[in-house]
Amino acid sequence: MFIRAGYEVALDLQTPAAMILMLYLEPARDATVRRAGKLETDPAVEVQEFTDIFGNRCGRTFAPAGRITFRNDMVIEDPGQPDPQSPGAIQHPVQDLPTETLPYLLSSRYCAVDSELNDLAWRKFGGQMSGWERVSAVCDFVHSHLKFDYLRARSTRTALDAYREETGVCRDFTHLAITLCRCLNIPARYATGFLGDIGVPPVDEPMDFSAWFEVYLGDRWHTLDARHNVPRIGRIVMARGRDASDCAITTTFGRNALAKFKVWTDEVPEP
C-alpha cells in the first residue's frame, strides 16, 4: 500500500530566532519513499541537517521575524500490516539489558519513575506477570484510566499529572505507559510520527502527529499504543526519545505563536 503524508506548519516569530526542526522521517524509512518530499520553507531559509544523540534526523535554521511556514508532502510505501504482536516476548533482568537501553529505564522530564507511580506499577503489575503480558496489562490500564480530550491538551502535563487528572491526548497516554513500564524495569521510549485512520473508521478530530511508545523485550524493540490499544496500520516514525521533550517537531529559541497546523496521512493509489 501507499501512504501520502505531509504537513504545513506556520509560526509567527516576534524577533529573528534560531530553530531546531524534527520534520523528517526516520532514516530507516528512506528506502520506502516512492515520491520524495523535501522540507520547504516560506520565506526561504537555509536549513542544516544533523543527527541528534537518539539517531533522529534534525534540522537547524535561523528564521527572520514574522511568519515562517514549513511544508512537506511525500508518498511512502508501507507493508499495510498491523503492528506486529509478540505474546511470548520476555522481559530481561536489568543486568542483562544492552547498555544502550539503560537510559530508557530512568526518569525524564515527563516520566518521573521516582514518584507515586512506582508504587502503583508494582501494586498492579508486579505479581506473576512479566514481559509482553505485563506491558499489555499496562496498556489496558492506561487506555481505560485516561479519557482522550483534545481540548484539554497541555504541554506541561506529566505522566503523574495525567494519572491524577485522568485525561489527556496521545502524548499523555504514552507518557503514563512509558513511566509505568520503566517503574517495572522495562526499557520504554517515546516515538512520534504519522498515523492516519487507515483500516479503522475515521474519527471526527483534526489530524495531528501521533505519539506511541516502544518497549525492549526479547532482544528487540516492540511498538505499542496505549491510546488506541489495538494494532494499527501505516505507522510512520519521525523521531524517538525519552519522552516528548526529546521529540518536539519544532523548537524555537524566541517568542512565537502557532499560526497554522495541518497534517495529512492518507492511503493513495500507487504513484
Side-chain angles (χ1 to χ4, degrees), residues 16-58:
M19 303 182 71
I20 296 176
L21 312 172
M22 285 191 173
L23 292 168
Y24 305 88
L25 300 183
E26 64 163 334
R29 270 289 187 175
D30 287 349
T32 68
V33 175
R34 295 296 172 259
R35 192 187 75 198
K38 182 180 179 181
L39 175 61
E40 300 177 355
T41 69
D42 183 16
V45 294
E46 180 184 5
V47 180
Q48 299 176 337
E49 293 189 17
F50 68 96
T51 301
D52 71 5
I53 61 174
F54 301 102
N56 300 314
R57 182 181 292 158
C58 308

Tab-separated table of all heavy atoms in Angstrom, residues 16-58:
chain	number	residue	atom	x	y	z
A	16	PRO	N	13.798	37.689	15.114
A	16	PRO	CA	14.555	36.594	14.484
A	16	PRO	C	14.925	35.549	15.535
A	16	PRO	O	15.243	35.885	16.679
A	16	PRO	CB	15.787	37.310	13.926
A	16	PRO	CG	15.354	38.734	13.739
A	16	PRO	CD	14.403	39.014	14.864
A	17	ALA	N	14.880	34.267	15.136
A	17	ALA	CA	15.081	33.216	16.137
A	17	ALA	C	15.735	31.991	15.520
A	17	ALA	O	15.447	31.611	14.377
A	17	ALA	CB	13.749	32.823	16.772
A	18	ALA	N	16.604	31.366	16.301
A	18	ALA	CA	17.146	30.057	15.940
A	18	ALA	C	16.075	28.997	16.191
A	18	ALA	O	15.264	29.118	17.115
A	18	ALA	CB	18.392	29.758	16.751
A	19	MET	N	16.092	27.941	15.376
A	19	MET	CA	15.099	26.884	15.493
A	19	MET	C	15.747	25.521	15.270
A	19	MET	O	16.706	25.400	14.497
A	19	MET	CB	13.970	27.074	14.469
A	19	MET	CG	13.243	28.400	14.554
A	19	MET	SD	11.891	28.515	13.352
A	19	MET	CE	10.727	27.343	14.071
A	20	ILE	N	15.226	24.508	15.969
A	20	ILE	CA	15.559	23.116	15.702
A	20	ILE	C	14.292	22.443	15.176
A	20	ILE	O	13.208	22.612	15.755
A	20	ILE	CB	16.068	22.404	16.959
A	20	ILE	CG1	17.383	23.022	17.430
A	20	ILE	CG2	16.256	20.908	16.698
A	20	ILE	CD1	17.900	22.430	18.732
A	21	LEU	N	14.429	21.678	14.100
A	21	LEU	CA	13.282	21.062	13.439
A	21	LEU	C	13.420	19.549	13.451
A	21	LEU	O	14.486	19.013	13.179
A	21	LEU	CB	13.188	21.549	11.991
A	21	LEU	CG	13.302	23.056	11.764
A	21	LEU	CD1	13.379	23.352	10.273
A	21	LEU	CD2	12.132	23.789	12.414
A	22	MET	N	12.336	18.861	13.779
A	22	MET	CA	12.269	17.402	13.639
A	22	MET	C	11.130	17.084	12.678
A	22	MET	O	10.148	16.434	13.031
A	22	MET	CB	12.057	16.728	14.991
A	22	MET	CG	13.285	16.713	15.860
A	22	MET	SD	13.042	15.635	17.288
A	22	MET	CE	14.690	15.640	17.991
A	23	LEU	N	11.261	17.541	11.465
A	23	LEU	CA	10.221	17.441	10.459
A	23	LEU	C	10.594	16.457	9.359
A	23	LEU	O	10.160	16.587	8.218
A	23	LEU	CB	9.956	18.829	9.863
A	23	LEU	CG	9.317	19.828	10.839
A	23	LEU	CD1	9.364	21.246	10.270
A	23	LEU	CD2	7.865	19.436	11.134
A	24	TYR	N	11.378	15.452	9.719
A	24	TYR	CA	11.881	14.472	8.761
A	24	TYR	C	11.432	13.068	9.159
A	24	TYR	O	11.136	12.798	10.328
A	24	TYR	CB	13.414	14.501	8.728
A	24	TYR	CG	14.010	15.850	8.459
A	24	TYR	CD1	14.274	16.736	9.510
A	24	TYR	CD2	14.315	16.256	7.164
A	24	TYR	CE1	14.839	17.984	9.267
A	24	TYR	CE2	14.886	17.495	6.916
A	24	TYR	CZ	15.150	18.362	7.971
A	24	TYR	OH	15.702	19.590	7.740
A	25	LEU	N	11.441	12.164	8.195
A	25	LEU	CA	11.209	10.760	8.501
A	25	LEU	C	12.458	10.169	9.142
A	25	LEU	O	13.571	10.643	8.915
A	25	LEU	CB	10.889	9.971	7.228
A	25	LEU	CG	9.660	10.381	6.429
A	25	LEU	CD1	9.475	9.432	5.252
A	25	LEU	CD2	8.412	10.406	7.302
A	26	GLU	N	12.276	9.101	9.922
A	26	GLU	CA	13.439	8.391	10.445
A	26	GLU	C	14.265	7.854	9.275
A	26	GLU	O	13.721	7.481	8.220
A	26	GLU	CB	13.009	7.242	11.353
A	26	GLU	CG	12.229	6.142	10.654
A	26	GLU	CD	12.172	4.863	11.472
A	26	GLU	OE1	13.082	4.640	12.285
A	26	GLU	OE2	11.210	4.097	11.298
A	27	PRO	N	15.591	7.812	9.406
A	27	PRO	CA	16.439	7.363	8.294
A	27	PRO	C	16.068	5.985	7.749
A	27	PRO	O	16.216	5.722	6.552
A	27	PRO	CB	17.838	7.367	8.902
A	27	PRO	CG	17.781	8.420	9.975
A	27	PRO	CD	16.395	8.315	10.544
A	28	ALA	N	15.573	5.089	8.597
A	28	ALA	CA	15.237	3.739	8.149
A	28	ALA	C	14.115	3.723	7.122
A	28	ALA	O	13.927	2.729	6.413
A	28	ALA	CB	14.847	2.870	9.352
A	29	ARG	N	13.359	4.820	7.015
A	29	ARG	CA	12.241	4.902	6.076
A	29	ARG	C	12.679	5.337	4.679
A	29	ARG	O	11.875	5.302	3.736
A	29	ARG	CB	11.196	5.881	6.599
A	29	ARG	CG	10.137	5.254	7.474
A	29	ARG	CD	9.197	4.387	6.657
A	29	ARG	NE	8.081	3.901	7.434
A	29	ARG	CZ	7.083	3.202	6.935
A	29	ARG	NH1	7.065	2.893	5.656
A	29	ARG	NH2	6.105	2.771	7.712
A	30	ASP	N	13.926	5.745	4.501
A	30	ASP	CA	14.354	6.291	3.211
A	30	ASP	C	14.077	5.343	2.055
A	30	ASP	O	13.657	5.757	0.973
A	30	ASP	CB	15.843	6.634	3.253
A	30	ASP	CG	16.136	7.881	4.085
A	30	ASP	OD1	15.165	8.584	4.444
A	30	ASP	OD2	17.318	8.133	4.372
A	31	ALA	N	14.301	4.049	2.267
A	31	ALA	CA	14.146	3.076	1.190
A	31	ALA	C	12.690	2.876	0.791
A	31	ALA	O	12.419	2.292	-0.270
A	31	ALA	CB	14.759	1.739	1.609
A	32	THR	N	11.748	3.343	1.609
A	32	THR	CA	10.326	3.135	1.306
A	32	THR	C	9.673	4.350	0.670
A	32	THR	O	8.484	4.301	0.339
A	32	THR	CB	9.555	2.770	2.584
A	32	THR	OG1	9.518	3.913	3.472
A	32	THR	CG2	10.211	1.608	3.307
A	33	VAL	N	10.420	5.450	0.515
A	33	VAL	CA	9.848	6.664	-0.071
A	33	VAL	C	9.709	6.474	-1.579
A	33	VAL	O	10.686	6.195	-2.277
A	33	VAL	CB	10.725	7.888	0.247
A	33	VAL	CG1	10.177	9.129	-0.468
A	33	VAL	CG2	10.781	8.126	1.752
A	34	ARG	N	8.501	6.619	-2.089
A	34	ARG	CA	8.241	6.431	-3.511
A	34	ARG	C	8.033	7.747	-4.251
A	34	ARG	O	8.222	7.829	-5.454
A	34	ARG	CB	7.010	5.534	-3.701
A	34	ARG	CG	7.240	4.121	-3.193
A	34	ARG	CD	8.329	3.421	-4.003
A	34	ARG	NE	8.709	2.126	-3.428
A	34	ARG	CZ	9.776	1.927	-2.696
A	34	ARG	NH1	10.598	2.935	-2.421
A	34	ARG	NH2	10.062	0.737	-2.223
A	35	ARG	N	7.610	8.774	-3.573
A	35	ARG	CA	7.642	10.128	-4.129
A	35	ARG	C	8.273	11.018	-3.089
A	35	ARG	O	7.714	11.275	-2.037
A	35	ARG	CB	6.239	10.643	-4.481
A	35	ARG	CG	6.283	11.932	-5.329
A	35	ARG	CD	4.920	12.523	-5.519
A	35	ARG	NE	4.466	13.187	-4.292
A	35	ARG	CZ	3.208	13.498	-4.037
A	35	ARG	NH1	2.265	13.162	-4.875
A	35	ARG	NH2	2.878	14.111	-2.900
A	36	ALA	N	9.485	11.428	-3.380
A	36	ALA	CA	10.275	12.119	-2.365
A	36	ALA	C	9.677	13.477	-2.038
A	36	ALA	O	9.236	14.223	-2.921
A	36	ALA	CB	11.717	12.274	-2.839
A	37	GLY	N	9.668	13.769	-0.760
A	37	GLY	CA	9.291	15.096	-0.309
A	37	GLY	C	10.532	15.837	0.151
A	37	GLY	O	11.555	15.230	0.469
A	38	LYS	N	10.452	17.131	0.159
A	38	LYS	CA	11.559	17.957	0.616
A	38	LYS	C	11.013	19.039	1.523
A	38	LYS	O	9.989	19.655	1.209
A	38	LYS	CB	12.289	18.583	-0.573
A	38	LYS	CG	13.496	19.416	-0.175
A	38	LYS	CD	14.184	20.014	-1.390
A	38	LYS	CE	15.379	20.863	-0.963
A	38	LYS	NZ	16.065	21.483	-2.129
A	39	LEU	N	11.687	19.258	2.638
A	39	LEU	CA	11.278	20.326	3.535
A	39	LEU	C	11.380	21.664	2.821
A	39	LEU	O	12.451	22.053	2.355
A	39	LEU	CB	12.158	20.323	4.793
A	39	LEU	CG	11.928	21.463	5.778
A	39	LEU	CD1	10.507	21.444	6.321
A	39	LEU	CD2	12.928	21.397	6.922
A	40	GLU	N	10.258	22.362	2.704
A	40	GLU	CA	10.213	23.683	2.092
A	40	GLU	C	9.924	24.721	3.168
A	40	GLU	O	9.159	24.469	4.102
A	40	GLU	CB	9.129	23.739	1.018
A	40	GLU	CG	9.326	22.754	-0.118
A	40	GLU	CD	8.177	22.794	-1.115
A	40	GLU	OE1	7.194	23.519	-0.858
A	40	GLU	OE2	8.263	22.099	-2.140
A	41	THR	N	10.533	25.883	3.038
A	41	THR	CA	10.276	26.973	3.972
A	41	THR	C	9.832	28.209	3.204
A	41	THR	O	10.262	28.453	2.077
A	41	THR	CB	11.530	27.320	4.792
A	41	THR	OG1	12.507	27.913	3.933
A	41	THR	CG2	12.112	26.075	5.452
A	42	ASP	N	8.963	28.973	3.808
A	42	ASP	CA	8.488	30.233	3.231
A	42	ASP	C	8.439	31.279	4.340
A	42	ASP	O	7.619	31.160	5.247
A	42	ASP	CB	7.104	30.038	2.623
A	42	ASP	CG	6.582	31.309	1.942
A	42	ASP	OD1	7.393	32.232	1.681
A	42	ASP	OD2	5.366	31.380	1.693
A	43	PRO	N	9.357	32.277	4.312
A	43	PRO	CA	10.343	32.543	3.272
A	43	PRO	C	11.465	31.499	3.264
A	43	PRO	O	11.633	30.753	4.232
A	43	PRO	CB	10.875	33.919	3.660
A	43	PRO	CG	10.704	33.969	5.149
A	43	PRO	CD	9.428	33.245	5.424
A	44	ALA	N	12.206	31.471	2.179
A	44	ALA	CA	13.295	30.507	2.052
A	44	ALA	C	14.405	30.836	3.037
A	44	ALA	O	14.879	31.973	3.103
A	44	ALA	CB	13.832	30.527	0.626
A	45	VAL	N	14.797	29.833	3.830
A	45	VAL	CA	15.927	29.979	4.747
A	45	VAL	C	16.798	28.736	4.620
A	45	VAL	O	16.323	27.664	4.223
A	45	VAL	CB	15.466	30.157	6.214
A	45	VAL	CG1	14.721	31.469	6.399
A	45	VAL	CG2	14.602	28.971	6.658
A	46	GLU	N	18.056	28.859	4.962
A	46	GLU	CA	18.945	27.713	4.928
A	46	GLU	C	18.663	26.811	6.128
A	46	GLU	O	18.537	27.292	7.265
A	46	GLU	CB	20.405	28.160	4.957
A	46	GLU	CG	21.391	26.997	4.913
A	46	GLU	CD	22.836	27.447	5.031
A	46	GLU	OE1	23.068	28.658	5.236
A	46	GLU	OE2	23.736	26.585	4.919
A	47	VAL	N	18.540	25.514	5.883
A	47	VAL	CA	18.334	24.523	6.938
A	47	VAL	C	19.485	23.521	6.882
A	47	VAL	O	19.686	22.862	5.865
A	47	VAL	CB	16.993	23.798	6.788
A	47	VAL	CG1	16.829	22.767	7.906
A	47	VAL	CG2	15.827	24.783	6.800
A	48	GLN	N	20.239	23.438	7.954
A	48	GLN	CA	21.356	22.497	8.047
A	48	GLN	C	20.895	21.244	8.767
A	48	GLN	O	20.389	21.317	9.886
A	48	GLN	CB	22.526	23.131	8.793
A	48	GLN	CG	23.098	24.371	8.129
A	48	GLN	CD	24.196	25.007	8.961
A	48	GLN	OE1	24.265	24.824	10.167
A	48	GLN	NE2	25.067	25.746	8.305
A	49	GLU	N	21.065	20.087	8.141
A	49	GLU	CA	20.643	18.825	8.748
A	49	GLU	C	21.735	18.251	9.653
A	49	GLU	O	22.923	18.428	9.389
A	49	GLU	CB	20.276	17.805	7.668
A	49	GLU	CG	19.024	18.184	6.883
A	49	GLU	CD	18.561	17.054	5.976
A	49	GLU	OE1	18.990	15.898	6.189
A	49	GLU	OE2	17.774	17.332	5.056
A	50	PHE	N	21.302	17.580	10.714
A	50	PHE	CA	22.225	16.891	11.606
A	50	PHE	C	21.494	15.738	12.268
A	50	PHE	O	20.262	15.630	12.181
A	50	PHE	CB	22.799	17.851	12.650
A	50	PHE	CG	21.793	18.353	13.668
A	50	PHE	CD1	21.666	17.730	14.914
A	50	PHE	CD2	20.983	19.453	13.392
A	50	PHE	CE1	20.749	18.197	15.850
A	50	PHE	CE2	20.065	19.921	14.328
A	50	PHE	CZ	19.954	19.288	15.557
A	51	THR	N	22.222	14.859	12.923
A	51	THR	CA	21.652	13.726	13.642
A	51	THR	C	21.852	13.933	15.135
A	51	THR	O	22.977	14.219	15.584
A	51	THR	CB	22.320	12.404	13.212
A	51	THR	OG1	22.138	12.240	11.799
A	51	THR	CG2	21.708	11.218	13.934
A	52	ASP	N	20.785	13.792	15.917
A	52	ASP	CA	20.899	14.033	17.360
A	52	ASP	C	21.370	12.764	18.079
A	52	ASP	O	21.662	11.735	17.461
A	52	ASP	CB	19.583	14.578	17.930
A	52	ASP	CG	18.474	13.536	17.983
A	52	ASP	OD1	18.726	12.350	17.672
A	52	ASP	OD2	17.337	13.904	18.345
A	53	ILE	N	21.452	12.843	19.416
A	53	ILE	CA	22.018	11.733	20.190
A	53	ILE	C	21.128	10.495	20.184
A	53	ILE	O	21.570	9.413	20.567
A	53	ILE	CB	22.300	12.158	21.649
A	53	ILE	CG1	21.010	12.588	22.351
A	53	ILE	CG2	23.334	13.268	21.689
A	53	ILE	CD1	21.190	12.872	23.823
A	54	PHE	N	19.866	10.627	19.740
A	54	PHE	CA	18.961	9.486	19.677
A	54	PHE	C	18.873	8.906	18.264
A	54	PHE	O	18.079	8.001	18.019
A	54	PHE	CB	17.562	9.893	20.153
A	54	PHE	CG	17.546	10.426	21.561
A	54	PHE	CD1	17.464	11.791	21.803
A	54	PHE	CD2	17.641	9.571	22.651
A	54	PHE	CE1	17.451	12.286	23.098
A	54	PHE	CE2	17.642	10.057	23.946
A	54	PHE	CZ	17.550	11.418	24.172
A	55	GLY	N	19.664	9.446	17.346
A	55	GLY	CA	19.642	8.961	15.976
A	55	GLY	C	18.579	9.605	15.111
A	55	GLY	O	18.349	9.155	13.979
A	56	ASN	N	17.935	10.658	15.607
A	56	ASN	CA	16.902	11.341	14.839
A	56	ASN	C	17.511	12.293	13.818
A	56	ASN	O	18.509	12.959	14.103
A	56	ASN	CB	15.976	12.134	15.764
A	56	ASN	CG	15.272	11.245	16.763
A	56	ASN	OD1	14.747	10.199	16.406
A	56	ASN	ND2	15.254	11.660	18.022
A	57	ARG	N	16.888	12.369	12.657
A	57	ARG	CA	17.297	13.339	11.652
A	57	ARG	C	16.664	14.689	12.000
A	57	ARG	O	15.450	14.794	12.161
A	57	ARG	CB	16.836	12.878	10.276
A	57	ARG	CG	17.239	13.785	9.141
A	57	ARG	CD	16.716	13.235	7.827
A	57	ARG	NE	17.387	12.000	7.461
A	57	ARG	CZ	16.862	11.103	6.634
A	57	ARG	NH1	15.667	11.276	6.129
A	57	ARG	NH2	17.534	10.014	6.323
A	58	CYS	N	17.480	15.716	12.131
A	58	CYS	CA	17.020	17.031	12.567
A	58	CYS	C	17.543	18.108	11.623
A	58	CYS	O	18.430	17.873	10.803
A	58	CYS	CB	17.512	17.340	13.984
A	58	CYS	SG	17.153	16.072	15.199
